[in-house]
Amino acid sequence: MKITFEKTTIEKLKSDTYLFLCYEDKKLFSEELRLIENQLKCSLAKISLEDFEGKEKQTALVYSDKYRIILSGLGKKDNLNLEKVRKATARGVKKAKTLNIKSVAIEILQDLTLKGVEIEDITRAQTISALLALYSFDKYYTNKKDKEIYKINDIILFSQYNSLGKYSGEIQEGIRSGTVIGEATNMARDLGNEPSNVLYPEVLAKKVQELAKLNKFSASVLGKAQLTKLGMNGVLEVAKGSKREPKFIIMEYKGGKKTDKPFVLVGKGVTFDSGGISIKPSAGMAMMKLDMGGAAAVVGVFDAITQLNLKLNVIGLIPAVENMPDGGAYKPGDVIKAFNGKTIEVDNTDAEGRVILADALSYASKYKPEAVIDMATLTGASIIAVGSVASIVMGNDQKLIDELIIAGDQTYDRVWQLPLWDEYDKMIDSEIADVRNSGVVKQAGTILGGMFLKRFIGDYSWAHLDIAATAMRTAETDYDPKNATGSGVRLVTQFLMNRNKKTGKNR
Ligand code: BES
Ligand code: ZN
Ligand code: ZN
């Protein structure tokens, strides 16, 4: 699908379907309708308009003699913010899609500039939300017609006011970066939704290498033999119960100066988490094909930043495994020597994410990173803590955490901080090894996941994003589908864009 900006006046747009975003305010609404009728030289059916009040979540389809007009509610003007614009845009394009409309012209919600939001950010947000809302994972339906799967081919962004023409550079940039980020998020969703009999560590590694060829980064893959040589026993042990070999994927993007320290992104790549010998209940287990959401997010961020040409150096590390029960599987009570030499007592084979991340986080030290950010669907407890509204952030550098919180607010791919206080540390002490992979008492599950990882980090700034709550959904929202959401892609890309802006200014 293509998204473009048309500078021309609205009646000259070659579209027969328009999406307008409307306030919950009778006066403003009737003014807007009059404007639409004047500009499009048409008259709208009055009766259907009486049913629509511009409330959030409301949409209406109104016909004139020449056009289809889709109205999508923004709620009260005083409460307007970027997220309401994203949601209203998303609902509007979904309405068009269900009608099998192929091309839609969307109004740019210029009013937000009155609240200090830049026009580039508005168009980026509308572009992303339209792309995200129109996502579907339908490759396995053999009869797409019966499933009523429709696709929109073109989206045109336009302004009702000609005054926007002078910002056309900013608008184009918003659309361009928005398209890159929206498509990168959708790619992460595709990786997540792919069933685990199709996407296992080797396939994930191949997909990353294919992407590297298309984009400006390099990718190498360590297999079982190299992992054994290196002593990456966390990765090897977790993978032992599976027929699928583990892979350790290394991505390198050199957008910055040679001397710039790299950002290292680490993603949990468990292509299926059965729980292993500490097996999970069967209800809902299918969702655990999405336990590589962190890895998918790292790949998505790479797809985005390499196309955005950020002037930064970035490394991506993905330990990829399948966690299965088997005669050869790792077991509760086992002790593993991780890459950095520390020993881990396996209390629960279902706490596998932290075991593979232990290796990856200590491996990250070799890059002398500017900062390390890991993304992982690590704990069910994070879903209990914040629901599917936010990811959890923890770490050892408050400045880094604050920057992630800001990037989360900017993109609405939000994060909420939990503490890593010393008091929690003894809760993962082991009687037999340096650390246990699950808590002695069943408390603070998400924090203990973070405390465990903290034992394996090197001398660097670090933030851990537990994305278990956001990476997978059991129900659709305005612009997230059911199943894989691609959470983390918008967040970390925005964080890196912000850093890119800063270093650009300092040079
Ligand atoms: N992949 C799961 C976490 C998860 C659960 C993600 C539900 C998304 C939805 C992880 O490997 C796991 O099983 N964690 C355990 C840790 C426990 C055994 C200490 C958990 O959260 O129960
Ligand atoms: Zn698990
Ligand atoms: Zn897991």
Side-chain angles (χ1 to χ4, degrees):
M1 193 190 39
K2 218 166 163 280
I3 305 189
T4 47
F5 172 57
E6 293 285 347
K7 225 178 352 182
T8 165
T9 48
I10 85 170
E11 74 277 11
K12 287 199 190 126
L13 292 173
K14 284 189 193 60
S15 183
D16 55 13
T17 307
Y18 288 84
L19 166 61
F20 291 95
L21 311 183
C22 308
Y23 296 113
E24 185 185 345
D25 179 310
K26 284 214 166 78
K27 192 164 157 280
L28 290 174
F29 183 45
S30 58
E31 276 170 22
E32 167 131 28
L33 292 181
R34 229 171 298 134
L35 188 66
I36 296 171
E37 290 187 317
N38 282 340
Q39 288 178 326
L40 291 176
K41 299 186 183 55
C42 67
S43 58
L44 302 171
K46 294 281 179 283
I47 295 171
S48 46
L49 292 175
E50 281 162 15
D51 299 338
F52 178 81
E53 296 167 290
K55 287 195 162 92
E56 279 178 57
K57 296 200 168 79
Q58 264 188 334
T59 54
L61 170 68
V62 187
Y63 289 106
S64 80
D65 42 355
K66 280 180 274 180
Y67 304 108
R68 293 181 203 93
I69 309 287
I70 296 170
L71 305 172
S72 186
L74 288 164
K76 299 246 161 45
K77 189 170 183 178
D78 287 348
N79 302 334
L80 185 67
N81 59 35
L82 203 49
E83 180 59 7
K84 298 212 168 158
V85 176
R86 285 189 194 98
K87 287 186 169 150
T89 306
R91 287 191 289 263
V93 294
K94 283 208 278 195
K95 181 102 182 170
K97 182 176 153 177
T98 56
L99 294 164
N100 197 12
I101 290 166
K102 295 295 167 204
S103 165
V104 191
I106 306 178
E107 170 192 12
I108 296 173
L109 203 86
Q110 193 179 352
D111 289 358
L112 257 183
T113 55
L114 302 173
K115 296 205 170 188
V117 186
E118 288 181 17
I119 199 78
E120 182 182 323
D121 295 330
I122 299 170
T123 48
R124 182 184 305 110
Q126 286 190 276
T127 302
I128 294 176
S129 65
L131 282 167
L132 296 191
L134 295 173
Y135 174 82
S136 69
F137 188 74
D138 48 41
K139 65 188 275 198
Y140 291 110
Y141 293 134
T142 56
N143 188 343
K144 295 200 174 29
K145 262 208 190 112
D146 278 2
K147 295 282 180 188
E148 295 184 359
I149 291 164
Y150 303 132
K151 306 268 177 209
I152 293 178
N153 300 327
D154 286 299
I155 287 181
I156 302 166
L157 290 185
F158 73 92
S159 164
Q160 274 181 307
Y161 312 98
N162 295 332
S163 60
L164 261 194
K166 64 174 181 286
Y167 297 110
S168 102
E170 284 91 333
I171 292 172
Q172 306 276 15
E173 183 47 32
I175 293 176
R176 190 190 73 91
S177 54
T179 302
V180 165
I181 297 167
E183 285 177 350
T185 308
N186 284 341
M187 188 197 63
R189 291 171 170 184
D190 276 345
L191 290 173
N193 287 327
E194 204 58 77
S196 71
N197 63 330
V198 175
L199 190 138
Y200 42 90
E202 187 184 341
V203 176
L204 179 62
K206 281 221 176 84
K207 283 189 187 270
V208 173
Q209 286 181 310
E210 276 162 25
L211 187 72
K213 272 189 211 136
L214 297 174
N215 290 5
K216 285 164 279 181
F217 69 91
S218 61
S220 54
V221 179
L222 310 181
K224 208 171 158 185
Q226 288 144 305
L227 292 171
T228 309
K229 227 178 182 175
L230 283 167
M232 292 243 190
N233 298 319
V235 178
L236 289 163
E237 286 285 321
V238 172
K240 262 188 353 186
S242 169
K243 296 264 184 307
R244 305 296 184 189
E245 259 200 36
K247 299 284 172 194
F248 192 88
I249 308 164
I250 302 171
M251 304 149 82
E252 291 194 37
Y253 168 62
K254 294 182 173 141
K257 283 193 197 156
K258 251 198 167 134
T259 49
D260 290 348
K261 289 184 177 175
F263 292 87
V264 180
L265 309 178
V266 180
K268 170 177 171 183
V270 178
T271 56
F272 187 72
D273 181 12
S274 67
I277 296 295
S278 317
I279 197 162
K280 287 181 184 292
S282 48
M285 200 200 272
M287 270 306 225
M288 284 302 115
K289 70 174 182 175
L290 301 173
D291 207 20
M292 32 57 73
V298 171
V299 181
V301 172
F302 262 74
D303 185 46
I305 60 169
T306 51
Q307 291 183 69
L308 295 172
N309 286 317
L310 298 194
K311 306 262 178 290
L312 303 169
N313 295 331
V314 187
I315 304 285
L317 301 177
I318 298 173
V321 298
E322 186 178 68
N323 186 21
M324 294 293 280
D326 176 81
Y330 84 134
K331 305 174 292 300
D334 287 359
V335 174
I336 304 171
K337 198 185 244 321
F339 175 70
N340 68 351
K342 282 195 188 171
T343 53
I344 301 168
E345 177 195 357
V346 179
D347 177 60
N348 189 321
T349 63
D350 197 12
E352 82 299 336
R354 62 199 72 182
V355 178
I356 62 169
L357 289 174
D359 282 350
L361 286 170
S362 40
Y363 187 81
S365 289
K366 85 171 213 180
Y367 297 100
K368 302 197 171 25
E370 170 70 29
V372 176
I373 300 170
D374 77 72
M375 289 186 269
T377 48
L378 207 69
T379 64
S382 71
I383 311 171
I384 308 293
V386 283
S388 55
V389 173
S391 302
I392 295 289
V393 63
M394 293 173 261
N396 64 357
D397 177 351
Q398 194 57 43
K399 211 179 131 269
L400 176 66
I401 291 168
D402 288 341
E403 285 180 65
L404 285 163
I405 292 171
I406 288 168
D409 291 342
Q410 284 172 295
T411 54
Y412 234 64
D413 189 358
R414 286 179 299 176
V415 294
W416 190 253
Q417 186 178 3
L418 287 182
L420 289 181
W421 290 321
D422 291 343
E423 286 77 357
Y424 294 108
D425 199 51
K426 61 176 183 305
M427 299 186 191
I428 49 167
D429 276 341
S430 161
E431 286 177 12
I432 173 171
D434 298 332
V435 65
R436 243 171 88 108
N437 80 332
S438 82
V440 179
V441 280
K442 299 285 160 249
Q443 292 180 357
T446 301
I447 294 175
L448 296 191
M451 292 306 291
F452 180 95
L453 298 180
K454 192 167 173 235
R455 300 257 192 134
F456 293 89
I457 61 169
D459 181 22
Y460 52 65
S461 277
W462 161 69
H464 161 55
L465 297 168
D466 190 334
I467 62 170
T470 55
M472 46 190 99
R473 290 195 183 280
T474 49
E476 165 180 351
T477 67
D478 292 313
Y479 52 80
D480 272 348
K482 203 178 159 193
N483 300 316
T485 65
S487 74
V489 176
R490 285 169 296 142
L491 167 72
V492 174
T493 302
Q494 184 69 48
F495 161 81
L496 292 170
M497 282 164 68
N498 294 347
R499 278 290 181 111
N500 183 57
K501 222 179 191 171
K502 248 195 231 163
T503 43
K505 269 186 198 149
N506 292 341
R507 273 181 182 156

